[in-house]
Amino acid sequence: MSLLYTLDLIGTAAFAASGALAGIRRRMDLFGVLVLGLVTAIGGGTLRDLLLGDNPPFCFRNEGYLYLSLGVALLTFVLHRHLGGFRQPLLFFDAIGLGTFVVIGTEKALHFKLGFLGAVLMGVVTATAGGIMRDVLANQIPLILRKEIYASACLAGAALLALFIRFGVARSPALLVAAVTVSALRLFAIHFNWALPRARD
Amino acid sequence: MSLLYTLDLIGTAAFAASGALAGIRRRMDLFGVLVLGLVTAIGGGTLRDLLLGDNPPFCFRNEGYLYLSLGVALLTFVLHRHLGGFRQPLLFFDAIGLGTFVVIGTEKALHFKLGFLGAVLMGVVTATAGGIMRDVLANQIPLILRKEIYASACLAGAALLALFIRFGVARSPALLVAAVTVSALRLFAIHFNWALPRARD
Amino acid sequence: MSLLYTLDLIGTAAFAASGALAGIRRRMDLFGVLVLGLVTAIGGGTLRDLLLGDNPPFCFRNEGYLYLSLGVALLTFVLHRHLGGFRQPLLFFDAIGLGTFVVIGTEKALHFKLGFLGAVLMGVVTATAGGIMRDVLANQIPLILRKEIYASACLAGAALLALFIRFGVARSPALLVAAVTVSALRLFAIHFNWALPRARD
């Protein structure tokens, strides 16, 4: 099992847990919590595959993603009152997932012959669309559109990877540096409370 | 015209009426009511076909679904003040639609070579995604994520059908038993006010 | 560069500006404003291409649409306090975009062998789905579903074009008359404050 696939599974599990917690906070029932966990974990990659025309989407060809997401969401539902100590590690694994999803999405889009900007956007979509769907289903303005550096970190990493590949950098270091950039920016942003500017009134 | 197709049309009409009523309750204009009726009736099957890569979706190959949905939504708009007596029958036809959509979606997904869990989820998507879209457009947390046994009935019926097919049960009884299971669970849930557990605080 | 393509770019820019303004009003950060601008400008055509199975969608094959939308959204973000005098022209360009998107979508759907009602709906989807996505992301009931003649103008123009094509009217006048019908209805509706009926209580 490659390192990238391992990181992909870690990120999927972290995203599923964050989606399930959002459902629990909104007082959804078991089914709602499972749906929010699943959609958060696989929504971004599924939308990417729909846009690329790669049917059926990845998680229906490797159902491991479905079992993992639903399993983690179920565990989160059952154990959520005992998960207080997992908040910090969850942010860490979430950042790992973010970096991994960005490089997987950008690389796949380039493989499907998209241009520079299209591939960068596909990396961002892969990493962020699941969280946006989670917030839409929970009837909230997506967090990512309001006050986090979250998406900018994805944008930076995706652009870096697309540039690396255009200039012939070897695949492994290119993926690694781009993914670490995203994860590190995300963790720094949480730690130092960075934010993007808003339009002035 | 087969029994399955007849039930499919009944379910489509019932879903269109429920979508139109949601639009009327939210004080939408005629166009909004038509959109909500249409999206509720065909949204689930359309999303399923997008995910399966079966383009264009079913309702664009057989426009009867479009005419039926828009026609029912229009009738509901015009006559809604005289429909008080139809509330009970509507719940009944809605339950029939639920069972029919589940078995159609699950069987189609298996035909497209999806695995067990993927096919079960496609059955659930076919039956529930239209209602979720309706609630998102009406700016509400989807009802189904909060407090109904609705989706669990779909899950049970889809799993039953996938198991029947895996173990070689003949098609007609398999479809019938699975669809009746969904519809009956749904009607029992309404009658006895069943609900799924929520996470405890 | 054809007239239709020129109008298409004008409409794309106007839609991107309206999306960016919606994001600014909802106090989103820079990333949110860019997403809302992009989604409003390309969301309709992208959904149409997904439904038609034409992958990847138009804006990933001609990235000019992506650069234009993001550039306009960025400019709107930076300059929005100095754009007071552009409100009226923006409504005008928005109406031009509406007419153009309707005829492009309807014609493309007929080219993909959709039937009459399917093609008309695709024209409406092309012109209105981006705005609906904008409102869903901004956590509001889509404006178009509540109180504007907006969508009805699209419906009328799309039906007109589909009829013209069915009865063999030459392409250029057919497109022109249909597009002008949509834009003019939209501008009249704003000017005279027309509205569709709502269901009575």
Side-chain angles (χ1 to χ4, degrees):
Chain A
M1 197 160 77
S2 75
L3 175 63
L4 192 65
Y5 187 48
T6 310
L7 294 174
D8 190 16
L9 296 182
I10 290 173
T12 300
F15 274 46
S18 99
L21 287 172
I24 291 168
R25 271 196 302 274
R26 301 291 276 181
R27 305 206 46 71
M28 294 183 179
D29 69 9
L30 173 58
F31 181 81
V33 170
L34 293 179
V35 168
L36 252 72
L38 183 64
V39 163
T40 307
I42 62 143
T46 299
L47 179 56
R48 175 203 62 215
D49 287 355
L50 281 181
L51 290 169
L52 292 176
D54 187 33
N55 297 109
F58 74 105
C59 54
F60 295 102
R61 268 172 293 160
N62 178 353
E63 295 197 334
Y65 291 100
L66 301 177
Y67 284 103
L68 177 63
S69 306
L70 291 173
V72 168
L74 180 62
L75 269 180
T76 307
F77 181 82
V78 174
L79 300 175
H80 79 103
R81 285 184 302 168
H82 311 288
L83 293 179
F86 282 82
R87 292 289 141 99
Q88 284 302 109
L90 186 57
L91 285 177
F92 178 74
F93 292 127
D94 190 83
I96 288 183
L98 204 66
T100 310
F101 291 180
V102 165
V103 300
I104 289 176
T106 306
E107 194 187 31
K108 181 164 186 174
L110 289 170
H111 186 73
F112 273 72
K113 306 293 174 210
L114 258 58
F116 181 83
L117 184 54
V120 167
L121 290 179
M122 283 297 176
V124 177
V125 162
T126 306
T128 64
I132 291 179
M133 293 176 199
R134 173 198 63 207
D135 293 343
V136 166
L137 289 175
N139 198 21
Q140 297 181 304
I141 295 188
L143 191 62
I144 199 178
L145 302 179
R146 276 182 304 159
K147 64 165 190 191
E148 295 212 38
I149 207 86
Y150 205 94
S152 318
C154 300
L155 211 53
L160 202 60
L161 179 58
L163 285 173
F164 281 161
I165 292 178
R166 173 164 299 182
F167 290 112
V169 175
R171 181 172 180 260
S172 292
L175 290 178
L176 191 68
V177 171
V180 168
T181 300
V182 176
S183 303
L185 279 175
R186 170 66 179 148
L187 290 173
F188 287 153
I190 294 173
H191 192 74
F192 297 111
N193 215 2
W194 288 344
L196 280 189
R198 292 189 207 188
R200 275 164 299 176
D201 290 324
Chain B
M1 198 161 75
S2 74
L3 174 62
L4 192 65
Y5 188 49
T6 310
L7 294 175
D8 191 14
L9 296 182
I10 291 173
T12 300
F15 274 46
S18 98
L21 287 172
I24 291 168
R25 268 196 304 273
R26 300 289 278 180
R27 306 208 42 73
M28 294 184 179
D29 69 9
L30 173 57
F31 180 81
V33 170
L34 292 179
V35 168
L36 252 72
L38 184 64
V39 163
T40 307
I42 62 143
T46 299
L47 179 56
R48 175 202 63 215
D49 286 355
L50 281 181
L51 290 169
L52 293 176
D54 188 33
N55 298 108
F58 74 104
C59 53
F60 295 102
R61 269 173 291 163
N62 177 352
E63 294 198 333
Y65 291 100
L66 300 178
Y67 285 103
L68 176 63
S69 307
L70 291 173
V72 168
L74 181 62
L75 269 180
T76 306
F77 182 82
V78 174
L79 300 176
H80 80 102
R81 285 184 303 170
H82 311 288
L83 293 178
F86 282 82
R87 293 288 141 101
Q88 284 303 109
L90 186 57
L91 285 176
F92 178 74
F93 291 127
D94 190 83
I96 288 181
L98 205 66
T100 310
F101 291 180
V102 165
V103 300
I104 289 176
T106 305
E107 193 187 31
K108 181 165 186 174
L110 289 170
H111 186 72
F112 273 73
K113 306 293 177 208
L114 257 58
F116 181 82
L117 183 53
V120 167
L121 290 179
M122 284 296 178
V124 177
V125 162
T126 306
T128 65
I132 290 179
M133 292 177 200
R134 173 197 64 208
D135 293 343
V136 166
L137 288 175
N139 199 21
Q140 298 182 303
I141 295 189
L143 192 62
I144 198 178
L145 303 180
R146 278 184 304 161
K147 65 166 192 192
E148 293 212 40
I149 208 85
Y150 207 93
S152 317
C154 299
L155 211 53
L160 202 60
L161 178 58
L163 285 173
F164 281 161
I165 292 179
R166 172 163 299 184
F167 290 110
V169 175
R171 182 172 178 259
S172 293
L175 291 178
L176 191 69
V177 170
V180 168
T181 300
V182 176
S183 304
L185 279 176
R186 169 66 178 148
L187 290 172
F188 287 152
I190 295 172
H191 192 75
F192 297 111
N193 214 2
W194 289 343
L196 280 191
R198 292 191 205 185
R200 275 163 297 174
D201 293 322
Chain C
M1 198 160 75
S2 74
L3 175 62
L4 191 64
Y5 187 48
T6 310
L7 294 174
D8 190 14
L9 295 182
I10 290 173
T12 300
F15 274 46
S18 98
L21 287 172
I24 291 168
R25 268 196 304 274
R26 300 290 277 181
R27 304 206 45 70
M28 294 184 180
D29 70 9
L30 173 58
F31 181 81
V33 170
L34 293 179
V35 168
L36 253 71
L38 183 65
V39 164
T40 308
I42 62 143
T46 300
L47 179 57
R48 173 204 63 214
D49 286 356
L50 281 181
L51 291 169
L52 292 177
D54 187 32
N55 297 107
F58 75 105
C59 55
F60 294 102
R61 269 173 292 162
N62 177 353
E63 294 198 334
Y65 291 100
L66 300 177
Y67 284 103
L68 177 63
S69 306
L70 290 173
V72 169
L74 181 62
L75 270 179
T76 306
F77 181 82
V78 175
L79 299 176
H80 79 102
R81 284 184 303 170
H82 312 287
L83 294 177
F86 283 81
R87 294 289 141 98
Q88 285 303 108
L90 187 57
L91 285 176
F92 178 73
F93 292 126
D94 191 84
I96 287 183
L98 205 66
T100 310
F101 291 179
V102 165
V103 299
I104 289 176
T106 305
E107 194 188 30
K108 181 164 187 174
L110 289 170
H111 186 73
F112 273 72
K113 307 292 176 210
L114 258 58
F116 181 83
L117 183 53
V120 167
L121 289 180
M122 283 296 175
V124 177
V125 162
T126 305
T128 64
I132 290 179
M133 292 177 199
R134 175 197 63 208
D135 293 344
V136 166
L137 288 176
N139 199 20
Q140 297 182 304
I141 295 188
L143 192 61
I144 199 179
L145 302 179
R146 276 184 305 160
K147 65 166 189 191
E148 295 212 39
I149 208 87
Y150 206 95
S152 316
C154 299
L155 211 53
L160 202 59
L161 179 58
L163 285 174
F164 281 161
I165 292 178
R166 172 163 299 182
F167 290 111
V169 175
R171 181 172 179 261
S172 292
L175 290 178
L176 192 68
V177 171
V180 168
T181 300
V182 176
S183 303
L185 279 175
R186 169 67 180 148
L187 290 172
F188 287 153
I190 293 172
H191 192 75
F192 297 112
N193 214 1
W194 288 344
L196 281 189
R198 292 191 205 187
R200 276 163 297 178
D201 292 324

